[in-house]
Amino acid sequence: MTFPDAGQGRRPRTAHVVFVAAACVLALIFAGLGIWQMQRRAWKLDLIARVEARIHAPPAAAPGPAEWGRINAATDEYRRVALQGRYLPVPETLTMAVTERGPGFWVLAAFRTDAGFTVFVNRGFLPEGRRGPDERRKVAGEAASLTGLLRLSEPGGGFLRANDPAAGRWYSRDVVQIAQQAQGVGEVAPYFVDADAVSEPGPLPQGGMTQVSFRNTHLVYALTWFCLALMSAGAAAYVIRGNADEPPSA
């Protein structure tokens, strides 16, 4: 007479227990990730609402030196600000741009405010092939009142390339680097201002082309994680039910 090996019945059940435990752990992890993405979505929607409110608010005076240490993206990016002063007679800086009108350049000009500090103003967009000084309106020495959106400096470079000040190649609007290359600009704000279309109506450069958009795919990610959590929980339930329906071994 032969007797069944008790270990043969134990091993499959042990594997089932391990599988169910792993599936439950994965379900909890995936559910947690889904909840985290929903929290990120709420934060992103709040950020979008706050930025929209700043963009459409009445312009306030551009922050002076006493406020520069407190400027940050969360509270100041895309604020509408006003500037009164005069453009300095120093060469403008062209930084690479990609816009809805195609590739080209942003025109950054040094602007000395009546308050005594300098702000670089992004006057607007020049299409590729139109970068010559004669292609745009001259503003050196001109008094002006401007409105626009406060933008934080873009250090280092962009387009996977570093700025090359010595060669005059600028891939980002790094106001610290640009100020270092300029002469006689004085104390420079750690931000720049995108002039609006009223301040720079064009035709060249064309102001008011700031693109304000935020990638918001958190809901898609959340639904993906929740689906994975349900699949993991369903797999665990299937195995548990299969074990419950299995007749006891003799």
Side-chain angles (χ1 to χ4, degrees):
M1 178 182 298
T2 59
F3 295 94
D5 185 355
Q8 291 179 352
R10 191 179 303 117
R11 280 195 294 271
R13 290 192 177 278
T14 300
H16 291 167
V17 170
V18 172
F19 178 87
V20 169
C24 289
V25 169
L26 286 175
L28 290 174
I29 292 174
F30 291 145
L33 289 170
I35 293 170
W36 175 67
Q37 285 293 338
M38 292 301 292
Q39 292 171 340
R40 293 283 296 170
R41 179 175 181 268
W43 170 83
K44 184 63 69 66
L45 291 175
D46 179 65
L47 172 64
I48 293 171
R50 285 188 281 116
V51 168
E52 284 292 323
R54 292 177 207 159
I55 290 172
H56 297 101
E67 303 172 76
W68 291 350
R70 299 191 297 271
I71 291 176
N72 61 76
T75 58
D76 298 289
E77 187 88 74
Y78 301 110
R79 281 173 53 189
R80 279 192 79 204
V81 296
L83 297 169
Q84 290 80 37
R86 184 177 301 271
Y87 281 105
L88 295 176
V90 298
E92 294 173 327
T93 300
L94 303 186
T95 67
M96 187 169 289
V98 177
T99 72
E100 59 189 14
R101 294 174 58 180
F105 303 91
W106 300 119
V107 181
L108 266 71
F111 187 89
R112 178 66 58 80
T113 68
D114 290 341
F117 60 91
T118 299
V119 176
F120 277 98
V121 173
N122 175 17
R123 297 182 56 205
F125 176 72
L126 287 177
E128 198 169 43
R130 305 286 301 274
R131 63 181 297 172
D134 295 336
E135 297 279 1
R136 56 188 183 272
R137 183 174 65 87
K138 306 294 188 297
V139 294
E142 177 182 300
S145 294
L146 307 172
T147 56
L149 300 179
L150 185 151
R151 306 292 308 281
L152 299 186
S153 181
E154 301 167 344
F159 301 94
L160 302 179
R161 288 175 285 187
N163 293 327
D164 186 354
R169 297 190 183 96
W170 297 93
Y171 304 104
S172 72
R173 292 164 289 190
D174 186 338
V175 295
V176 175
Q177 276 192 321
I178 293 172
Q180 289 172 349
Q181 293 297 113
Q183 298 292 325
V185 296
E187 192 176 21
V188 177
Y191 58 85
F192 61 94
V193 173
D194 281 346
D196 61 21
V198 175
S199 303
E200 282 288 353
L204 293 178
Q206 177 61 61
M209 290 188 60
T210 306
Q211 296 294 313
V212 183
S213 62
F214 296 92
R215 190 167 179 266
N216 187 11
T217 56
H218 298 296
L219 181 59
V220 173
Y221 289 139
L223 292 176
T224 301
W225 291 124
F226 286 139
C227 285
L228 290 172
L230 287 174
M231 291 169 62
S232 299
Y238 178 80
V239 172
I240 292 171
R241 181 176 179 180
N243 282 339
D245 293 341
E246 185 178 313
S249 58

